[in-house]
Amino acid sequence: MSKTFTAKDVAEHKDEQNGIYIIVDSGVYDITNFLEEHPGGAKILKRMAGKNATKPFWKYHGKSVLDKYGDKLKIGDLTETAKL
């Protein structure tokens, strides 16, 4: 069973001590150990830490990138929360 996260859960993971998580589509990814491997540098990933990175991800990457790295980095899925 895949772990589920809220956007608030992800927002709590925005530094290397707590782990750096991002959201792409409905997936939650732990990119902490990927920072130095990222061809665009760690700086841009740190800027997106704890946030929904879907729009910038798809602006600069194709599906092949998610296919290549997604399984290694995905830690769960985003849950829908009720908006009152």
Side-chain angles (χ1 to χ4, degrees):
M1 177 184 232
S2 181
K3 187 169 179 174
T4 57
F5 297 86
T6 64
K8 184 179 176 185
D9 295 332
V10 174
E12 294 172 0
H13 294 274
K14 56 186 173 199
D15 58 52
E16 293 181 64
Q17 290 80 12
N18 295 311
I20 297 177
Y21 294 3
I22 62 168
I23 299 164
V24 176
D25 295 330
S26 62
V28 176
Y29 299 85
D30 182 346
I31 58 168
T32 311
N33 296 321
F34 184 68
L35 294 175
E36 299 306 317
E37 293 179 48
H38 187 249
K43 186 177 180 179
I44 188 65
L45 294 181
K46 288 179 180 179
R47 199 176 310 149
M48 294 307 304
K51 299 177 184 174
N52 188 328
T54 301
K55 191 172 184 177
F57 179 87
W58 291 118
K59 181 177 180 180
Y60 296 104
H61 304 89
K63 185 178 178 318
S64 63
V65 174
L66 200 57
D67 290 343
K68 182 176 181 180
Y69 296 103
D71 288 342
K72 292 184 260 185
L73 301 174
K74 188 173 182 180
I75 56 171
D77 293 296
L78 192 64
T79 61
E80 291 295 322
T81 55
K83 294 181 181 178
L84 303 176

